[in-house]
Amino acid sequence: MASKTWNVGVVGYGFSAKTFHIPFIQEVPQFKLYAIVQRTPKPDDDAEKDHPGIKSYRSAEELVQDAAVDVVVITTAPDLHYSLSKLSLENGKHVVCEKPFTPTYKEAADLVAIAKKQNKFLAVYQNRRWDADFVTLSKLVKTGALGRVVEFESHFDRHRPQEPAPTVSKWKNKVVPGGSAIHDLGSHLLDQAVHLLGKPNRVTGFVGTQREVNTSGYEDSFTVLLHYNNGLLVTAKAGVVSPEEEQLRFWVRGEKGSFKKFHLDIQEDQLKAGMKPSDSGYGREPSERYGTLTTIQDGKPVREITPTVEPPTWSEYYRKMARALAGEGELPASGEEAAEVIRLIDLVQESSKQGKTLDF
């Protein structure tokens, strides 16, 4: 018996849809790119021309009325995630929502409840669970190569001290609900940490700006400490003033070993350069970007190059989504999991305001 093909409707046709979703939807045979919502097509930016044969809609309200649509993928700015997810779920659609899930935990919890009531799947696009460096690090932690982990540092630093021009992004670098570095980059770093290490017991947050000129008031930087009762301390941080030739990505220390990794995962840059998920070499890091593992041998630290594993790539997100829809596995990142990340972000912001550590 042939497996079901699921018709996918994508809401939004900007950078996120074109780069992070549509190429991977098309990579999975169980999905069909069926429809796209694009409010204002232009001669050089028209979803119908780029994807001949799709249904084209001007609003999400039109899309959800189409009975042939099985899954709605929401790729808009975060201040619309709640209303569009709610609209889609209440019209009987499964939902994949771009991160950050929602601006607040209250909204996230409400959507989780609606999905359960409607008996529909609700997933959030935490694609960086399949970054090659994170997959490599996860393997080291899970196999015990590092021993008992006591410090876990995760960075997403860049050197961008100048205030971005207003035209750079429709929502990033602007003050909108769900629009801040802790929502944008923090949702990735915190999801990875909780996914691998579990929920913390206490949270300390520092949220603000590193830019000298910041007319918008956008909070461009953060440092988060996750405290665990077993002694583990997680540091997750992103900054825009970091003049380094190689940016630190991970530094994880345990009783048996230490893993250090520089550079961001290569997939985004490859996609921006026009590479497709099916192309040879996609997702594979060059050897000069490999991390290092230091272990104690005969009482002395010995460092060795640790090859980055060949990752399942971000395609695995939609492969797992297809299996979940077929009743053959769990969601790649459920609404419940994503809601806990938003709850963490709410606490980080409150901790930063109060200047103290808060219980999770």
Side-chain angles (χ1 to χ4, degrees):
M1 181 177 176
S3 61
K4 175 179 170 62
T5 300
W6 305 85
N7 287 333
V8 178
V10 177
V11 180
Y13 195 59
F15 178 74
S16 175
K18 295 173 184 175
T19 308
F20 298 131
H21 290 275
I22 290 174
F24 299 99
I25 292 167
Q26 294 177 314
E27 182 73 7
V28 178
Q30 292 91 338
F31 288 123
K32 177 184 177 182
L33 182 62
Y34 172 83
I36 295 175
V37 174
Q38 186 182 25
R39 285 188 299 179
T40 52
K42 300 177 179 63
D44 59 346
D45 182 23
D46 189 333
E48 282 189 88
K49 293 179 181 178
D50 295 341
H51 304 281
I54 64 160
K55 294 273 188 179
S56 181
Y57 292 107
R58 297 292 171 261
S59 72
E61 287 76 13
E62 291 177 287
L63 174 73
V64 298
Q65 294 302 314
D66 188 335
V69 174
D70 299 304
V71 182
V72 174
V73 176
I74 295 163
T75 71
T76 64
D79 56 338
L80 295 175
H81 287 180
Y82 174 77
S83 60
L84 292 174
S85 296
K86 185 173 185 287
L87 173 72
S88 302
L89 290 167
E90 290 182 340
N91 280 273
K93 311 301 183 186
H94 302 292
V95 170
V96 172
C97 182
E98 179 58 271
K99 65 84 209 162
F101 184 18
T102 54
T104 67
Y105 174 68
K106 184 179 183 299
E107 293 168 310
D110 189 38
L111 289 177
V112 170
I114 293 170
K116 288 181 178 178
K117 181 180 178 181
Q118 295 295 118
N119 195 29
K120 293 298 173 182
F121 285 121
L122 171 61
V124 177
Y125 195 59
Q126 295 290 1
N127 59 316
R128 289 192 176 272
R129 292 184 182 185
W130 293 277
D131 281 5
D133 49 19
F134 181 66
V135 174
T136 303
L137 173 57
S138 298
K139 182 178 179 181
L140 292 172
V141 171
K142 291 176 180 178
T143 59
L146 304 180
R148 183 177 68 89
V149 175
V150 298
E151 284 207 61
F152 183 102
E153 284 191 37
S154 180
H155 293 248
F156 209 123
D157 300 318
R158 294 170 288 190
H159 190 57
R160 298 177 180 177
Q162 286 77 32
E163 184 175 34
T167 56
V168 167
S169 170
K170 292 183 178 179
W171 69 269
K172 295 183 180 182
N173 305 311
K174 293 183 179 180
V175 179
V176 300
S180 64
I182 187 61
H183 283 94
D184 180 23
L185 302 177
S187 60
H188 281 312
L189 302 190
L190 295 176
D191 176 75
Q192 287 180 334
V194 172
H195 181 62
L196 178 60
L197 304 167
K199 300 175 188 177
N201 300 101
R202 296 172 306 284
V203 181
T204 309
F206 307 90
V207 178
T209 180
Q210 293 181 342
R211 292 185 173 113
E212 185 176 14
V213 177
N214 183 8
T215 57
S216 71
Y218 176 81
E219 294 175 331
D220 56 43
S221 305
F222 63 84
T223 298
V224 177
L225 304 179
L226 305 181
H227 312 265
Y228 291 75
N229 285 346
N230 64 1
L232 170 64
L233 178 66
V234 170
T235 302
K237 83 181 296 292
V240 292
V241 179
S242 183
E244 295 285 345
E245 185 178 9
E246 294 184 321
Q247 298 288 358
L248 179 63
R249 179 64 184 92
F250 289 112
W251 188 13
V252 182
R253 285 164 280 187
E255 291 182 329
K256 294 182 179 180
S258 170
F259 178 72
K260 188 175 285 188
K261 178 74 172 63
F262 293 84
H263 305 289
L264 293 174
D265 178 82
I266 203 169
Q267 293 180 75
E268 182 172 343
D269 285 343
Q270 288 179 325
L271 291 166
K272 288 178 179 177
M275 205 168 185
K276 296 181 179 180
S278 58
D279 289 347
S280 176
Y282 175 77
R284 296 177 185 172
E285 277 201 329
S287 59
E288 60 267 23
R289 294 175 62 152
Y290 288 169
T292 57
L293 175 65
T294 300
T295 56
I296 303 300
Q297 299 179 25
D298 297 326
K300 296 180 181 180
V302 177
R303 186 177 66 172
E304 59 183 335
I305 301 296
T306 303
T308 303
V309 301
E310 186 173 330
T313 77
W314 296 344
S315 294
E316 184 64 12
Y317 182 94
Y318 276 106
R319 286 194 289 260
K320 283 182 72 72
M321 189 69 197
R323 292 195 292 268
L325 287 166
E328 298 172 355
E330 297 180 349
L331 288 170
S334 69
E336 289 92 341
E337 292 173 295
E340 289 299 286
V341 171
I342 299 300
R343 184 158 76 100
L344 260 179
I345 290 174
D346 282 359
L347 278 175
V348 167
Q349 293 176 310
E350 187 61 28
S351 169
S352 186
K353 287 178 184 177
Q354 294 189 27
K356 64 180 184 181
T357 298
L358 301 176
D359 291 333
F360 182 59

